[in-house]
Amino acid sequence: MRLIKQNFERDGSGLVTLFPEEPEDMWYAYNLIRPKDLLRASALRRVVTESATGSTSSTRVHTTLTIRVESLDFDPQSSQLHVSGRIAEETKFTKVGQYHTLDLELQRNFTLTKDGEEAWDSVARGIIKEACDPVRSADVWAVVMQEGLANLAVLTGARTVLRQRVEVSIPRKRGGRASDHDKGLEKFFQTTLDTLLRQIDLNESKPILLASPGFTASSFQKFIIDTATRTGNKALMAQKANLVVVHSSSGHLHALNEILQTPEVTARLKDTQYAREGKLMDEFMTLLRKDDGRAWYGPSEVEKAVEKGAVGRGGGVLLISNALFRAQDVAIRRRWVRLVDKVRDVEGGEVRTLSSEHESGKRLDGLGGIAAILTFPLDDLDEEDEGEEEGEIPNGNTNRLAMSHNEQTPLLTTVHVVPPPPRYRHSTLRRFCTIALATSLIVVVAIFLIPINWLPHHSWDDGWSSDEARPASQGMAYRELQEILLETPNQAKVREWSQYYTSGPHLAGKNLTQALWTREKWQEFGVQDSNIVAYDVYLNYPLDHRLALLESRQKSAGDQVAGKDYDIKYECKLEEDVLHGHPAMNPGPRVPTFHAYSANGDVTAHYVYVNFGTFWDFDDLVKANVSLEGKIAIVKYGRGFRGLKIKRAQELGMVGVLIYSDPQEDGDITEQNGYKTYPDGPARNPSSVQRGSVDFITIGPGDPTTPGYPSKPGVPRQDPSYQIPFIPSLPISYQDALPLLQALNGHGPQASNFNEYWQGGGLGYKNVSYNIGPSPSSLKLNLMNKQEYVTRPIWNVIGIINGSLADEVVILGNHRDAWIAGGAADPNSGSAALNEVVRSFGLALEKGWKPLRTIVFASWDGEEYNLLGSTEWVEEYLPWLSNAAVAYLNVDISCMGSGFVVAASPLLHKAIYDATSMIQSPNQTVPGQTVRDTWDGYIKTIGSGTDFTAFQDFAGVPSADMAYRRTAQDPVYHYHSNYDSFHWMEEFGDKHWQHHLTIAKLWALIAASLIENPIIHFRATDYAKALASYVQKTKAKADNSKKLDGTLSESSTTGQHHQAAFLSLEAAVERLHNATVRFDRQAAAVQHRVQRGDIPWWKWWQKIKLSIEVRKVNDGYKYLERQFLHEDGLDGRNWFKHVVFAPGRWTGYAGATLPGLTEAVEDRNATGVEVRLMPILFFFPVKRNLTDATFAEMEQDY
């Protein structure tokens, strides 16, 4: 930090101007700036201007603002400091009182003024002196590791920062497999070294601590030296002298404290600030253990010691955490400042302010944030206030508690208890008689009550067909419950909920008001146990963007162009048309067009048209020798997840990606076919833009900085670069894409010259010939994308209706966040339906119903970015879900068209078919038709792209998702666009809200069947049949490949081995099918016995036996899906644990079956086929201890 200017007045007020030069300086600024200070710094402000015609435009301007500080937000991982407050000085672009957040930046001055109560005290001046000290201690790197885990941390003068966490699965050393362990260890060392080299500057000479239990650290040191020697890396070899190997008890970061105390480290780092602080804390703890009265901690105790003059010259040291000086209350802060001044200036003692971001500071925080080493011993500082109040024990002995109490420890006192005199004679006989009588009574009661408590108290009705056992409902007949669920949802209510949710922007992390409103509504509906569950996640928000088509300027001799070689041929709008005065325009501010997790960047390059940007499209271009490296790609939306288009582009060396919506995807409803564009008609508005996330969803959903564990405050965060792009991207409209595509006409091959997947572009009538390019030498694109990355909270709303069975749970979920102010279809058609489902179940509760199984309702936040809310929740509650979850029912979009679509685990097929046969279809061609009558009955393989992913693919919970989606004859749905508005829904999407109501009723009925059936409403045989079809599909794909790496011909030894493996796989599926047929038959028999209810009350042992059988069957159904989870996950994307289902590697949305095996076949990898067959052969008997053994036991009972 550089001090530019300093001006202090006698009363303590004044200002300083500082110039932060490195990330560490932001930590000092965070400790320096306090609420009520005046802060002046450069800012980027969005300014809206209105022309004489009434049109508005917005620009972002750089200006300098002065704010009165209200709050600060510091991200320790990225060293970013955000300071919020109200404008204190009017400027050309702002007025006094407006709210603004300043993002302090490196290499930019800021001026801080303190006045009034919050003046420049000694602590604040000390922070400036320390921050601007040119000889501040240098950084030290530490790698704390164990086999498979490495924590890379940097120790600065003020903080310990975890920069990266590396986890690599290493096979165990088992008989004959030591080589696998060695290869895994080498891969782990290589990954750790690569990560370390990305973090450090090899030209600087700084200590690097390598610590681990056992010999892992020394082996890693040897690997580093061997790598440097083998590769000839002289800079890395020069670091050999800086490598310090020490032993630690753990490979986790908390072991850093003991590492810093080892002799070899203390000798190396003896002159650093954190070494001195650690030594002081060790000295304090030693004195505290001695209990000689020279070590005290806690606010009141330390203040008393200071008052007695015991913290002064001659060895007195005050240890205080800098967290105490960040108190929001000025009076509390001044309390500590006065204490520091008294010790240092009056008593002459030493004051050490410890950083709360160092291990020593964290130890001090555990003691209340303040402690003292005294010059002379003092006793009973913690008992002075109690001395006269405590009585004496009759025998004259006294007890003294050596531990003091403070804000961090419980209040402790000494309670003296005298044994009471005996109340009765013959007490032993009386006690024996009492115990014997009580035990007899308990046994008698248990004999009669245990069966009643084990079996649910439910009545039965005729709500199900005669060939099926009927479900139970406590407090009302099941048919009455069905009637409530079918009759409660109504058009007015679902319209009301839709109108509320679409009334303003609700991006992830910016919709707390909607979360609070949702919770309050659910509580009004009767679900009182509704709460908000927050997570701190990694997000980005748009700051600025630009896209321009540049044409090179032809220079003549003597022509001087001031640094400008290009003219702007076309400047893209990058925003959607504002429909002034039209009801189609959503109210409130508009969200700019952007991609979530897109990279910051400013690139100028030639560009290429790459069709839909699928893996196979890029492969076609590579085979056609089209130059891609260094180019910008223009891509059509569709046929795959947008982030995977960018992933493949950057792998091939491209520098940017533009994605637009081509009318080709709009079916018959196009402007070319004579339809008017929205809002005047059903065709696509030419300016509509599809926003969206561009993370690599097939690697894993959730917060990319916390893969596999919940993103709670304070957790270690990892580098997200493996899961998000490093090249910039922008979404654009086809209106903006037109000039770019037209400029390619005549350049490069035409799309029509490629295979059938390149045919059918929808802009031919606009003079687009779909030439590939590259663009001519005179034309380039300038793509600029600027995003703000922050870690901030998102808010799930979780509502719970407790059932009779706490360990069997059905979960219903929809996400609430949207890219724009509207979101009438995605997601809030689902949100409106969910509210009606909750309201329906709430009405049943009001009428006395209690469910058999527990119900959980979830309104997720952050789905649009990367399924954040649902994934973090599943990761947090995974142990509970693994034990209790029966099914997860998701509705992302309830209506965007008229075509009914379902994707589900095979276990849920029966429940879906039954429910769709009971509800009237909104698309009837003949009166009385049900949803099942108007639907083709096809249930898709479950993939990804919405909130069921974590449940199905990570936790093994059978899941389903359903919606009414657009058909080729429906009005065009403007996906993730401002035109996904309440007006579009009411005018074009679902005019009478009937599709919303149908989904709400279906959702509720499917849930009710799963909740209320004594035997879970699954059919295991459906799973076995599906598995058989998946195996045949994969085998056919392998057969069509003919040869995998030239080794899988039918005549080859390897090919014969693989053919035998497929035969074994088919046999395993056949065994599973036979077992599931028996199991379903036996489950039906158990349900029939429960339904009969003819066991007399006095045959309690039969009731117990039946309850055990019910539990056994339900456990078999409940855990069946989870038997297909593989702890190590899929190769290359180990977050996905399911061996049967996963999103397609290069599709994202679409589901892939037997993904590991399928990918080996697609890659023509013979070895991979064999490797991936083995775990599947293990899983397909479904871990016989659960299925075959369970089924055999059931057979013996009948």
Side-chain angles (χ1 to χ4, degrees):
M1 185 93 77
R2 195 190 314 163
L3 180 62
I4 304 299
K5 180 181 179 182
Q6 176 178 296
N7 183 16
F8 295 147
E9 304 295 337
R10 291 185 177 180
D11 62 357
S13 62
L15 61 85
V16 295
T17 300
L18 298 169
F19 183 77
E21 299 177 295
E22 54 188 46
E24 182 75 359
D25 295 337
M26 291 303 176
W27 169 251
Y28 287 103
Y30 175 54
N31 285 279
L32 190 63
I33 302 170
R34 303 269 41 93
K36 298 186 179 179
D37 290 350
L38 284 175
L39 178 65
R40 182 177 180 82
S42 63
L44 193 66
R45 183 80 178 180
R46 182 172 176 266
V47 179
V48 180
T49 57
E50 185 172 353
S51 66
T53 61
S55 62
T56 60
S57 62
S58 64
T59 56
R60 291 189 177 272
V61 297
H62 283 280
T63 184
T64 301
L65 299 179
T66 302
I67 66 171
R68 179 72 68 177
V69 178
E70 293 185 0
S71 63
L72 297 91
D73 179 26
F74 178 71
D75 183 355
Q77 299 298 319
S78 61
S79 295
Q80 294 181 342
L81 179 58
H82 313 288
V83 186
S84 301
R86 299 196 177 274
I87 304 294
E89 295 179 5
E90 186 169 340
T91 68
K92 177 181 177 181
F93 306 109
T94 61
K95 296 181 180 179
V96 173
Q98 289 182 326
Y99 198 82
H100 189 83
T101 298
L102 290 174
D103 298 329
L104 297 190
E105 301 178 10
L106 297 178
Q107 312 301 323
R108 286 184 181 270
N109 290 351
F110 69 87
T111 299
L112 183 66
T113 303
K114 292 180 180 283
D115 51 20
E117 289 184 335
E118 190 73 10
W120 289 98
D121 52 46
S122 60
V123 173
R125 298 187 190 202
I127 293 173
I128 294 177
K129 182 178 179 181
E130 182 181 345
C132 298
D133 183 359
V135 294
R136 211 169 36 181
S137 57
D139 296 342
V140 174
W141 284 92
V143 182
V144 188
M145 63 196 313
Q146 62 191 39
E147 284 198 3
L149 172 67
N151 293 280
L152 279 64
V154 60
L155 287 74
T156 67
R159 294 190 297 151
T160 300
V161 183
L162 177 64
R163 296 300 295 271
Q164 185 70 49
R165 181 184 176 96
V166 177
E167 288 186 88
V168 174
S169 178
I170 300 177
R172 295 182 180 179
K173 284 186 177 180
R174 291 174 179 169
R177 297 190 61 186
S179 62
D180 292 345
H181 172 271
D182 295 341
K183 290 178 181 177
L185 190 61
E186 183 178 357
K187 179 182 177 182
F188 166 60
F189 284 160
Q190 186 64 58
T191 304
T192 304
L193 178 58
D194 292 344
T195 306
L196 182 63
L197 293 179
R198 286 198 297 269
Q199 302 286 344
I200 66 175
D201 185 351
L202 292 179
N203 295 319
E204 296 181 357
S205 180
K206 295 179 180 179
I208 303 174
L209 309 182
L210 307 179
S212 75
F215 301 99
T216 306
S218 57
S219 299
F220 182 51
Q221 179 193 37
K222 182 178 183 300
F223 179 83
I224 294 174
I225 297 171
D226 290 346
T227 301
T229 304
R230 186 180 70 256
T231 59
N233 190 333
K234 295 182 179 179
L236 181 58
M237 182 60 74
Q239 295 290 331
K240 179 180 179 180
N242 294 323
L243 300 176
V244 181
V245 177
V246 294
H247 180 271
S248 65
S249 61
S250 167
H252 294 276
L253 194 62
H254 61 73
L256 197 57
N257 183 46
E258 64 173 285
I259 295 167
L260 295 176
Q261 298 177 41
T262 56
E264 54 266 51
V265 174
T266 53
R268 190 74 176 263
L269 309 180
K270 61 183 178 181
D271 296 327
T272 60
Q273 174 183 339
Y274 39 81
R276 293 192 296 270
E277 292 176 353
K279 186 176 180 181
L280 278 172
M281 279 303 300
D282 293 340
E283 181 183 351
F284 173 81
M285 297 305 293
T286 301
L287 290 172
L288 188 63
R289 283 191 290 271
K290 289 181 179 179
D291 192 21
D292 62 358
R294 288 195 58 213
W296 288 92
Y297 64 91
S300 60
E301 287 78 3
V302 172
E303 286 178 318
K304 289 174 187 176
V306 173
E307 288 297 324
K308 293 178 181 290
V311 191
R313 294 178 180 86
V317 181
L318 174 67
L319 303 172
I320 187 167
S321 170
N322 60 12
L324 297 181
F325 298 113
R326 295 197 294 271
Q328 299 294 312
D329 190 329
V330 176
I332 295 175
R333 174 180 162 81
R334 292 184 68 83
R335 171 188 177 185
W336 307 123
V337 172
R338 284 195 296 267
L339 186 67
V340 168
D341 291 344
K342 183 170 183 178
V343 171
R344 184 170 50 207
D345 301 334
V346 178
E347 302 295 337
E350 181 181 359
V351 177
R352 285 287 184 177
T353 303
L354 273 59
S355 170
S356 61
E357 288 290 299
H358 269 321
E359 291 302 314
S360 55
K362 292 176 182 178
R363 293 163 68 192
L364 183 60
D365 286 341
L367 299 174
I370 188 168
I373 299 174
L374 278 52
T375 55
F376 53 85
L378 290 175
D379 292 328
D380 303 334
L381 286 179
D382 56 345
E383 295 181 0
E384 288 185 354
D385 296 335
E386 307 172 4
E388 298 301 324
E389 298 178 11
E390 290 187 357
E392 294 288 325
I393 299 177
N395 64 8
N397 294 328
T398 60
N399 292 322
R400 181 167 64 87
L401 183 68
M403 181 185 286
S404 64
H405 59 261
N406 53 59
E407 291 89 336
Q408 301 295 323
T409 59
L411 296 175
L412 302 175
T413 187
T414 304
V415 179
H416 308 296
V417 179
V418 178
R423 295 178 58 192
Y424 306 104
R425 298 173 63 188
H426 312 298
S427 58
T428 302
L429 178 61
R430 296 173 61 90
R431 187 177 298 112
F432 173 78
C433 295
T434 301
I435 293 173
L437 289 171
T439 303
S440 301
L441 179 61
I442 291 171
V443 170
V444 171
V445 171
I447 286 174
F448 291 100
L449 293 187
I450 286 178
I452 299 174
N453 289 330
W454 281 27
L455 286 177
H457 312 288
H458 285 280
S459 59
W460 310 91
D461 72 5
D462 295 325
W464 285 71
S465 58
S466 59
D467 61 332
E468 298 184 37
R470 301 165 185 151
S473 291
Q474 185 173 342
M476 66 171 58
Y478 182 68
R479 176 165 290 175
E480 184 180 351
L481 173 64
Q482 287 182 320
E483 289 174 355
I484 291 174
L485 300 180
L486 290 173
E487 295 174 3
T488 300
N490 69 68
Q491 176 183 349
K493 284 294 183 182
V494 81
R495 183 184 188 277
E496 178 185 344
W497 311 142
S498 176
Q499 192 163 28
Y500 168 77
Y501 281 117
T502 59
S503 61
H506 41 294
L507 269 173
K510 295 189 176 184
N511 57 59
L512 179 58
T513 303
Q514 284 196 358
L516 294 169
W517 180 90
T518 300
R519 181 187 64 181
E520 290 168 4
K521 282 297 176 186
W522 289 4
Q523 290 172 341
E524 286 179 19
F525 297 157
V527 183
Q528 296 302 321
D529 189 4
S530 296
N531 298 284
I532 291 177
V533 180
Y535 297 94
D536 284 0
V537 297
Y538 188 62
L539 300 170
N540 67 296
Y541 298 108
L543 294 176
D544 199 5
H545 56 197
R546 192 236 184 162
L547 181 64
L549 182 61
L550 307 179
E551 186 172 28
S552 61
R553 173 177 294 180
Q554 299 296 325
K555 293 183 181 180
S556 58
D559 183 17
Q560 297 296 325
V561 182
K564 185 176 180 181
D565 297 330
Y566 287 88
D567 289 324
I568 298 174
K569 185 173 183 178
Y570 178 73
E571 185 83 43
C572 296
K573 294 192 306 179
L574 299 182
E575 65 176 359
E576 295 164 302
D577 291 345
V578 178
L579 309 176
H580 292 289
H582 198 284
M585 197 63 220
N586 280 314
R590 290 148 53 88
V591 178
T593 56
F594 78 107
H595 280 149
Y597 297 123
S598 57
N600 287 310
D602 189 338
V603 296
T604 300
H606 295 288
Y607 62 99
V608 177
Y609 167 71
V610 299
N611 199 29
F612 287 96
T614 67
F615 180 90
W616 302 274
D617 288 339
F618 279 113
D619 193 44
D620 290 337
L621 293 175
V622 170
K623 291 176 180 177
N625 294 319
V626 175
S627 174
L628 299 176
E629 188 172 354
K631 308 294 192 299
I632 295 172
I634 298 184
V635 192
K636 294 187 288 193
Y637 273 114
R639 299 186 187 175
F641 184 71
R642 65 187 75 77
L644 301 179
K645 302 171 188 280
I646 299 172
K647 182 176 188 293
R648 189 55 181 156
Q650 71 182 28
E651 288 175 352
L652 294 173
M654 305 193 80
V655 297
V657 176
L658 307 170
I659 314 182
Y660 78 98
S661 298
D662 194 288
Q664 175 182 352
E665 295 298 289
D666 295 343
D668 300 331
I669 312 302
T670 63
E671 188 179 26
Q672 182 181 10
N673 289 342
Y675 292 94
K676 293 183 178 180
T677 60
Y678 184 77
D680 300 318
R684 179 181 301 277
N685 185 297
S687 70
S688 71
V689 179
Q690 180 189 142
R691 299 153 181 82
S693 178
V694 293
D695 66 285
F696 305 153
I697 195 171
T698 54
I699 292 178
D703 186 336
T705 66
T706 61
Y709 56 96
S711 190
K712 304 296 283 189
V715 300
R717 295 185 179 271
Q718 302 187 29
D719 182 357
S721 59
Y722 74 102
Q723 198 172 340
I724 61 177
F726 57 76
I727 63 173
S729 65
L730 287 174
I732 63 175
S733 64
Y734 82 70
Q735 188 177 69
D736 274 342
L738 270 172
L740 315 183
L741 294 171
Q742 290 167 346
L744 290 177
N745 286 352
H747 297 280
Q750 282 190 311
S752 58
N753 297 331
F754 287 81
N755 58 47
E756 67 270 22
Y757 300 107
W758 286 76
Q759 312 305 314
L763 293 174
Y765 77 109
K766 295 279 191 180
N767 190 32
V768 173
S769 59
Y770 290 102
N771 282 86
I772 306 300
S775 56
S777 59
S778 61
L779 293 181
K780 288 186 177 182
L781 280 175
N782 173 238
L783 187 166
M784 185 271 285
N785 182 49
K786 187 174 182 181
Q787 303 288 320
E788 174 192 29
Y789 276 87
V790 297
T791 299
R792 62 178 298 153
I794 58 172
W795 305 278
N796 296 334
V797 183
I798 305 295
I800 301 173
I801 301 177
N802 288 307
S804 301
L805 300 175
D807 63 345
E808 292 184 5
V809 180
V810 177
I811 306 160
L812 290 77
N814 155 266
H815 75 92
R816 189 181 61 255
D817 62 301
W819 292 111
I820 31 80
D826 182 13
N828 298 132
S829 62
S831 306
L834 180 58
N835 276 4
E836 285 300 89
V837 172
V838 177
R839 192 168 70 88
S840 300
F841 279 113
L843 183 59
L845 288 175
E846 185 181 330
K847 294 187 176 183
W849 170 71
K850 181 178 180 179
L852 174 61
R853 296 183 177 87
T854 296
I855 315 172
V856 174
F857 301 108
S859 174
W860 309 116
D861 191 9
E863 186 270 359
E864 294 292 6
Y865 274 74
N866 193 19
L867 320 182
L868 299 177
S870 58
T871 301
E872 301 308 315
W873 190 79
V874 169
E875 289 174 344
E876 180 173 14
Y877 294 103
L878 181 62
W880 172 71
L881 290 168
S882 298
N883 178 62
V886 171
Y888 174 69
L889 305 177
N890 187 73
V891 171
D892 187 332
I893 301 169
S894 73
C895 176
M896 55 182 280
S898 62
F900 184 64
V901 177
V902 185
S905 163
L907 283 175
L908 287 162
H909 287 190
K910 176 177 172 55
I912 292 169
Y913 287 135
D914 288 342
T916 52
S917 300
M918 299 173 63
I919 296 177
Q920 296 290 296
S921 170
N923 304 324
Q924 295 180 9
T925 55
V926 176
Q929 285 181 313
T930 65
V931 174
R932 182 69 183 89
D933 294 331
T934 58
W935 166 48
D936 62 8
Y938 175 66
I939 298 179
K940 296 170 60 178
T941 301
I942 203 155
S944 186
T946 190
D947 288 306
F948 57 71
T949 304
F951 290 92
Q952 181 73 45
D953 298 335
F954 187 74
V957 179
S959 301
D961 181 73
M962 56 187 172
Y964 275 99
R965 295 193 172 271
R966 181 178 179 268
T967 68
Q969 289 74 41
D970 287 329
V972 172
Y973 168 58
H974 298 79
Y975 186 47
H976 290 178
S977 158
N978 275 326
Y979 305 131
D980 180 8
S981 62
F982 180 80
H983 172 269
W984 178 87
M985 183 60 70
E986 194 159 53
E987 290 297 315
F988 296 100
D990 193 12
K991 292 185 178 181
H992 305 293
W993 304 93
Q994 291 304 307
H995 293 88
H996 284 70
L997 295 179
T998 302
I999 289 292
K1001 294 173 183 178
L1002 268 174
W1003 206 355
L1005 278 191
I1006 295 171
S1009 71
L1010 295 170
I1011 295 161
E1012 289 301 290
N1013 267 289
I1015 300 299
I1016 297 174
H1017 196 46
F1018 286 168
R1019 187 159 56 201
T1021 308
D1022 289 339
Y1023 211 112
K1025 290 178 179 177
L1027 287 173
S1029 68
Y1030 304 155
V1031 171
Q1032 291 306 313
K1033 178 180 176 182
T1034 308
K1035 183 182 178 184
K1037 184 173 290 189
D1039 290 341
N1040 289 337
S1041 297
K1042 293 185 179 179
K1043 288 187 178 183
L1044 304 177
D1045 279 348
T1047 63
L1048 193 55
S1049 65
E1050 293 184 4
S1051 59
S1052 69
T1053 303
T1054 306
Q1056 292 172 1
H1057 179 70
H1058 290 165
Q1059 291 295 329
F1062 269 110
L1063 290 176
S1064 298
L1065 187 56
E1066 291 171 330
V1069 174
E1070 181 63 25
R1071 290 196 303 272
L1072 177 63
H1073 179 268
N1074 295 335
T1076 56
V1077 168
R1078 296 195 306 272
F1079 188 70
D1080 286 335
R1081 183 173 63 247
Q1082 293 152 6
V1086 173
Q1087 177 139 324
H1088 181 65
R1089 289 185 62 194
V1090 174
Q1091 176 209 345
R1092 285 204 320 256
D1094 56 357
I1095 302 176
W1097 64 270
W1098 48 271
K1099 290 187 177 181
W1100 52 269
W1101 61 90
Q1102 292 189 12
K1103 289 182 176 286
I1104 292 177
K1105 181 182 178 183
L1106 181 59
S1107 65
I1108 292 173
E1109 291 170 356
V1110 170
R1111 169 66 68 175
K1112 188 181 298 183
V1113 169
N1114 284 340
D1115 283 351
Y1117 278 138
K1118 185 169 67 171
Y1119 295 125
L1120 176 60
E1121 187 85 64
R1122 294 197 263 290
Q1123 300 312 301
F1124 293 100
L1125 296 181
H1126 183 37
E1127 184 179 355
D1128 294 338
L1130 301 180
D1131 289 350
R1133 40 183 183 144
N1134 59 13
W1135 185 93
F1136 291 97
K1137 307 297 184 185
H1138 211 295
V1139 300
V1140 178
F1141 300 115
R1145 184 173 43 170
W1146 287 106
T1147 58
Y1149 291 124
T1153 55
L1154 307 181
L1157 182 57
T1158 300
E1159 288 162 16
V1161 171
E1162 290 174 345
D1163 294 343
R1164 303 181 181 278
N1165 181 352
T1167 304
V1169 170
E1170 181 177 1
V1171 170
R1172 290 165 177 84
L1173 272 172
M1174 293 307 104
I1176 295 174
L1177 283 169
F1178 171 71
F1179 283 104
F1180 265 14
V1182 197
K1183 296 182 181 177
R1184 298 187 184 187
N1185 63 322
L1186 180 67
T1187 53
D1188 289 352
T1190 300
F1191 302 161
E1193 291 175 17
M1194 293 295 300
E1195 281 185 321
Q1196 293 172 8
D1197 294 334
Y1198 295 93

